Amino acid sequence: MLMGLTAGAHADEFTLSAGAMDSKEPNGHSYAWMLSYQTPLTEHIAASVTWSNEGHVPGHHRDGHSAQLWWRSSPLWDRLILSAGVGPYHYFDTTKAANGAGYSDDHGVAVLYSAAATYYPDSKWLYQLRLNRVQGGGGITTNSIQLGLGYQLTPDGLDSGSWQAGNSNNEVTLLAGQTIVNSFKSETGVAKSLEYRYSLSPVVKLSGAWINEGDTRLTRRNGGALQAWLEPEFFDKKLTLGVGGGIYGAFDRYQTDQASGSSGREISGIVTLTASYGITDHLRARIHWHRIVTDYSRDSDIILLGLGYQF
């Protein structure tokens, strides 16, 4: 039984956790939640990527993504593993504007320190207690405690029967959903997108997409996005989980300023979490969570659900 636990505990892990966050300056309390994907590197070392939402405290609505290296103990008391991780945390913080009016989308890099206790029952599921501290980078310092539910996954390999060069490497997907501006009022609009995705391997993908963010009354933006992806496949390609990043060239009608000569054309960053599920051999349901990263305080989240055709 212990040998089975050791093998299972060193599979990839996807975990959703939620709990409470505390901040001293400013003094406040809020909710916190995160999505985390961890993969083993050696018996005691693992790496993870995480999306964290730190809730709302006075003057700050902060979230972001991180990459961490972890040290993991051997199994204790038959099924418990203790671990500690550290790594950079790239955050997006909606704060008060410097002039005191409106808001500003501040970006920075802090350090995320974590400690976790993970219990592995006699199944693929896992239960986790996790402590996090975000510090540095010119942002606020926060502490959070969260409880998580996770699942152990084994990615399809290069020699898997699900991977054959030239077979279903292409995907065209039509998506629709909602744009949410990263302001204190969270203005919204109806979003649409058409995406082409190409699989270089069971893990590495490339995509090009046209995105229309709709009219949020703060932005009226549409443009093209190019992204590279890490998107492992599971269960003989039925399920995929991925993270992508790239550039987004868009035209924002609300940023056009004839007096200053601004054309409204902007080059921004884009970071995306995605998941997909194969309905048939050719049809695939997909969900995207885009984060548009601007340099003019018009960051936005775009949540899209769509149906794709693979060929």
Side-chain angles (χ1 to χ4, degrees), residues 203-226:
V203 176
V204 180
K205 318 288 173 73
L206 301 174
S207 73
W210 185 264
I211 302 172
N212 186 316
E213 298 184 55
D215 188 348
T216 67
R217 300 301 175 183
L218 280 181
T219 60
R220 191 178 177 186
R221 205 161 46 192
N222 67 92
L226 297 175

Side-chain angles (χ1 to χ4, degrees), residues 244-259:
I247 59 172
Y248 176 51
F251 178 74
D252 189 346
R253 291 183 181 274
Y254 284 176
Q255 296 304 311
T256 302
D257 187 343
Q258 295 181 351

Side-chain angles (χ1 to χ4, degrees), residues 3-257:
M3 291 179 63
L5 168 63
T6 301
H10 286 82
D12 289 8
E13 300 173 3
F14 179 76
T15 306
L16 169 63
S17 57
M21 182 272 284
D22 173 80
S23 170
K24 297 301 182 185
E25 294 183 8
N27 188 23
H29 308 276
S30 186
Y31 62 87
W33 64 273
M34 60 173 41
L35 297 169
S36 181
Y37 185 90
Q38 184 176 100
T39 187
L41 301 178
T42 69
E43 181 181 358
H44 292 290
I45 303 297
S48 70
V49 292
T50 301
W51 184 272
S52 304
N53 187 307
E54 298 182 77
H56 300 165
V57 294
H60 295 272
H61 296 182
R62 191 169 74 172
D63 60 7
H65 54 270
S66 62
Q68 290 178 287
L69 280 176
W70 292 80
W71 176 85
R72 292 159 57 93
S73 74
S74 299
L76 305 172
W77 302 291
D78 196 25
R79 295 190 175 278
L80 181 69
I81 287 182
L82 303 180
S83 56
V86 62
Y89 174 61
H90 182 220
Y91 65 79
F92 312 92
D93 192 3
T94 302
T95 66
K96 294 179 180 178
N99 61 10
Y103 74 96
S104 174
D105 288 326
D106 289 348
H107 308 139
V109 178
V111 180
L112 174 62
Y113 304 93
S114 301
T118 307
Y119 177 73
Y120 297 85
D122 191 14
S123 70
K124 293 286 189 179
W125 295 97
L126 62 90
Y127 306 98
Q128 186 174 87
L129 173 65
R130 177 164 171 165
L131 306 176
N132 299 299
R133 180 177 177 85
V134 177
Q135 187 172 4
I140 60 175
T141 297
T142 64
N143 298 291
S144 66
I145 180 170
Q146 301 183 35
L147 292 174
L149 175 65
Y151 193 81
Q152 298 177 76
L153 297 160
T154 302
D156 296 340
L158 287 170
D159 58 349
S160 166
S162 70
W163 177 254
Q164 297 178 17
N167 182 26
S168 299
N169 294 349
N170 305 277
E171 179 184 331
V172 176
T173 308
L174 182 65
L175 306 105
Q178 187 174 65
T179 299
I180 306 168
V181 179
N182 293 172
S183 71
F184 288 127
K185 294 183 179 180
S186 299
E187 292 85 351
T188 62
V190 178
K192 302 174 285 292
S193 179
L194 178 64
E195 179 187 80
Y196 169 73
R197 177 178 297 261
Y198 181 76
S199 298
L200 296 175
S201 78
V203 176
V204 180
K205 318 288 173 73
L206 301 174
S207 73
W210 185 264
I211 302 172
N212 186 316
E213 298 184 55
D215 188 348
T216 67
R217 300 301 175 183
L218 280 181
T219 60
R220 191 178 177 186
R221 205 161 46 192
N222 67 92
L226 297 175
Q227 294 190 85
W229 301 80
L230 293 177
E231 187 184 357
E233 302 168 351
F234 308 93
F235 308 121
D236 197 21
K237 209 175 181 179
K238 274 290 188 180
L239 174 70
T240 73
L241 300 171
V243 57
I247 59 172
Y248 176 51
F251 178 74
D252 189 346
R253 291 183 181 274
Y254 284 176
Q255 296 304 311
T256 302
D257 187 343

